[in-house]
Amino acid sequence: MTAALVPVTGVAKLAAIAVTYVRDTPAPEPTYLSLDLGSHRVDIQPDVSRTNPVTVLGALLVWAHRLTGVTGDWWHTPGGDLHITLTGRGPCGVSFVVYSSIAYRVARRHVALAVGARESVTPDELYRLALELRKGQTK
């Protein structure tokens, strides 16, 4: 009899899928990676904290580019951040959640969200936001 709450084969399979995805994605190393066996889900936070917001958005897009059925949302946090989450399907039907944040003040000209408000966002909208922010940096 085992004391494991989840069969070890489930852990090994989900971990192998996560390792393969991380290894094969040309993106910044994750700072946080979580496996949720109950939801058959992998959460990834790219290691881009305290960097340029364009870099943060680019990292989110690169991490999510191999996923299918990608949906997203962003949230204006009470702490003044724009928290962004992209969710999609990866290998073997595993759900992947990729998330990070940028300072809301940087994006407020392009993103109108009240504090605490949440809205859906597409990868295309994130890409356009990154382009607009980059234009602002080169002026």
Side-chain angles (χ1 to χ4, degrees):
M1 182 168 176
T2 179
L5 297 175
V6 176
V8 176
T9 57
V11 173
K13 181 179 178 185
L14 191 57
I17 291 167
V19 166
T20 300
Y21 191 83
V22 168
R23 183 194 65 217
D24 294 346
T25 302
E29 191 77 18
T31 190
Y32 179 82
L33 188 124
S34 172
L35 307 178
D36 183 336
L37 297 170
S39 299
H40 205 60
R41 186 178 87 202
V42 176
D43 292 356
I44 298 173
Q45 181 182 14
D47 186 12
V48 288
S49 60
R50 295 181 171 68
T51 61
N52 181 316
V54 175
T55 303
V56 172
L57 295 173
L60 288 170
L61 291 169
V62 170
W63 273 110
H65 88 279
R66 295 177 51 222
L67 302 176
T68 60
V70 177
T71 61
D73 67 20
W74 50 22
W75 172 48
H76 183 176
T77 70
D81 289 326
L82 182 64
H83 187 270
I84 304 159
T85 304
L86 294 172
T87 303
R89 287 272 171 234
C92 302
V94 171
S95 179
F96 278 77
V97 177
V98 182
Y99 65 94
S100 194
S101 64
I102 61 174
Y104 180 77
R105 64 178 166 66
V106 173
R108 77 173 153 238
R109 287 186 55 220
H110 311 285
V111 179
L113 283 177
V115 173
R118 182 180 301 265
E119 187 175 81
S120 65
V121 65
T122 66
D124 287 344
E125 289 171 309
L126 290 178
Y127 180 71
R128 285 193 300 268
L129 175 60
L131 290 177
E132 290 300 317
L133 294 178
R134 193 173 96 191
K135 271 197 284 188
Q137 293 172 350
T138 58
K139 288 183 179 180

